[in-house]
Amino acid sequence: MTRSPRTIAAANGIGRDAAFGAVAPPLHLASSYTFAGFERPRTYDYSRAGNPTRDLLADTLAQLEGGAGAVVVATGMAAVDLVLSRLGPQDGVVAPHDCYGGTHRLIAARAAKGQFKAAFVDQGDAAALEAALAARPKLVLVETPSNPLMRVVDIAAVAAAAKAAGADVAVDNTFLSPALQQPLALGADFVVHSTTKYLNGHSDVVGGAVIAARSEDAAALAAWANITGVTGAPFDAYQTLRGLRTLFPRIERQQQSAAAVASFLARHPQVAAVHYPGLPSHAGHALAKAQQRGFGAMLSFEIAGGTPAVRRFVEAVRVFTLAESLGGIESLVAHPATMTHVGMGAEARRIAGITDALLRLSIGLEDERDLVEDLAQALGQAEEAGDR
Ligand code: PLP
């Protein structure tokens, strides 16, 4: 019987405990497992290689993304790195010029060591992508919507162009989760997640996952994750699975509030620009509508008044919290230039269009009226502090 993604998220693995009939899947913390006898290993022997709790999370994620298998690792960065581990010194990766700062830093650092060749490209610019693909890279990494500018990339178009050039495509689906976007169905070969964000959703676990379209790729990645020892901790997998149960209702509610916040900001005189794909004025609106099942709960905006206004705004918020990360039940504000994207360096930020006036919001589950009221009062204070 095929089950809907909502059912998979809410109930995969429920009531299947063979030992005691526990309804909630048990947490298996053991680091090693007995052999049944000489040369008779059981399903599991050592938790770095395989663990029932982590495997249940991997199975749930693979089903939600429509993949053949998944590997759960310690962090989102480890997930990005696991996909990059497929590349050798002669291979190339085409990455987005405005991706998450940590991804940019990782790719630049490994390329500088000669571990592969990297090109950072505006993937919304078809000519630039075509030029990068002419070098026959092995992998194209897509992040859509991008962090923090919320640019939307056409996954199906990039996948078709990449396939024609002999490249695999990996999509970082952290910003939307499989509840709102399924890149494998659009032609991607891999999906990458920072499960730290919407999948866990409660800001109390750092984790990552790679989901592969093909079972042989999933097996190869699982083997490499065991060799390098980046597999995720069982307790983290347990917590993440617990958070995942409510993924759909959380993100659906959060994106409703995000839409309200975006339309409030778009009308505010202290706001120079709003980046939210749900706004009809957003350059990626039509594409987002076509390839996503919702516009998500992340947005960014440019505040007028320079650094004094930025400083006053982040000091004035009361319902929002000044912190990195995203996708949790609480609303956060981050200043990418000094926080999430500081590792990219000023020049790469300039090329990507990440200005010092940009603020990123992750919308949580608070009442949207409180969120809008908080932004209104903080913008009012920023206006008084701003450059004139
Ligand atoms: N990918 C995206 C889009 C992110 O926003 C982040 C973190 O913010 C990561 C990957 C890295 O994930 P982690 O912090 O879990 O290592």
Side-chain angles (χ1 to χ4, degrees):
M1 177 186 155
T2 47
R3 292 174 304 155
S4 105
R6 285 166 191 281
T7 306
I8 293 164
N12 190 44
I14 294 283
R16 285 212 248 118
D17 173 42
F20 299 109
V23 173
L27 164 58
H28 293 279
L29 286 171
S31 54
S32 60
Y33 293 79
T34 59
F35 278 56
F38 181 62
E39 291 191 328
R40 287 173 55 212
R42 303 181 203 267
T43 309
Y44 295 101
D45 59 2
Y46 191 55
S47 265
R48 167 161 41 74
N51 173 279
T53 308
R54 192 171 63 231
D55 282 1
L56 180 58
L57 174 61
D59 176 56
T60 310
L61 293 176
Q63 288 192 45
L64 287 174
E65 289 287 6
V71 185
V72 170
V73 291
T75 66
M77 285 326 308
V80 176
D81 205 36
L82 188 58
V83 170
L84 294 172
S85 74
R86 295 168 44 81
L87 308 184
Q90 300 312 318
D91 298 326
V93 58
V94 174
H97 71 324
D98 64 337
C99 57
Y100 166 57
T103 301
H104 195 284
R105 179 177 57 189
L106 171 67
I107 292 173
R110 287 219 180 271
K113 284 175 181 273
Q115 291 170 347
F116 48 70
K117 296 171 196 149
F120 293 99
V121 169
D122 178 351
Q123 296 176 348
D125 177 345
L129 183 66
E130 200 183 307
L133 289 174
R136 310 277 306 173
K138 188 167 176 176
L139 182 70
V140 178
L141 177 66
V142 175
E143 198 182 282
T144 180
S146 68
N147 181 358
L149 284 165
M150 307 302 297
R151 292 190 179 118
V152 182
V153 173
D154 188 334
I155 298 173
V158 171
K163 288 278 124 71
D168 281 336
V169 174
V171 177
D172 188 327
N173 203 20
T174 298
F175 263 38
L176 291 176
S177 91
L180 302 182
Q181 178 169 271
Q182 284 179 303
L184 300 184
L186 298 169
D189 304 281
F190 301 95
V191 168
V192 172
H193 276 286
S194 167
T195 57
T196 314
K197 319 300 183 195
Y198 289 101
L199 295 177
N200 176 57
H202 292 72
S203 308
D204 51 10
V205 176
V206 176
V210 182
I211 298 96
R214 296 176 291 266
S215 55
E216 61 272 25
D217 288 336
L221 290 176
W224 190 250
N226 179 39
I227 289 169
T228 54
V230 293
T231 47
F235 188 77
D236 293 353
Y238 177 84
Q239 289 267 88
T240 304
L241 192 60
R242 195 177 199 271
L244 192 57
R245 300 303 186 196
T246 56
L247 171 67
F248 280 82
R250 273 191 283 111
I251 201 161
E252 284 163 359
R253 186 67 204 87
Q254 284 168 257
Q255 72 176 354
Q256 279 180 33
S257 297
V261 165
S263 58
F264 164 76
L265 290 174
R267 293 189 307 268
H268 201 285
Q270 188 67 16
V271 173
V274 182
H275 308 289
Y276 182 61
L279 291 175
S281 56
H282 188 276
H285 178 68
L287 179 55
K289 210 169 173 178
Q291 81 176 2
Q292 302 173 195
R293 279 196 295 270
F295 298 111
M298 293 299 301
L299 63 138
S300 56
F301 69 98
E302 314 262 343
I303 195 166
T307 302
V310 169
R311 182 186 298 275
R312 191 70 201 106
F313 177 85
V314 301
E315 284 171 357
V317 287
R318 292 290 170 264
V319 182
F320 283 82
T321 299
L322 178 65
E324 290 172 353
S325 204
L326 59 110
I329 41 85
E330 73 292 331
S331 292
L332 300 177
V333 55
H335 181 237
T338 56
M339 295 168 73
T340 48
H341 289 67
V342 74
M344 256 173 102
E347 180 58 8
R349 281 199 303 276
R350 190 190 60 74
I351 293 168
I354 302 167
T355 70
D356 289 351
L358 188 75
L359 288 159
R360 191 188 74 184
L361 302 180
S362 172
I363 303 300
L365 281 176
E366 304 90 343
D367 192 310
E368 70 188 39
R369 288 165 298 193
D370 291 341
L371 294 172
V372 168
E373 205 176 294
D374 193 33
L375 292 172
Q377 66 81 20
L379 284 168
Q381 297 199 40
E383 193 171 3
E384 286 162 26
D387 294 335
R388 277 154 215 273

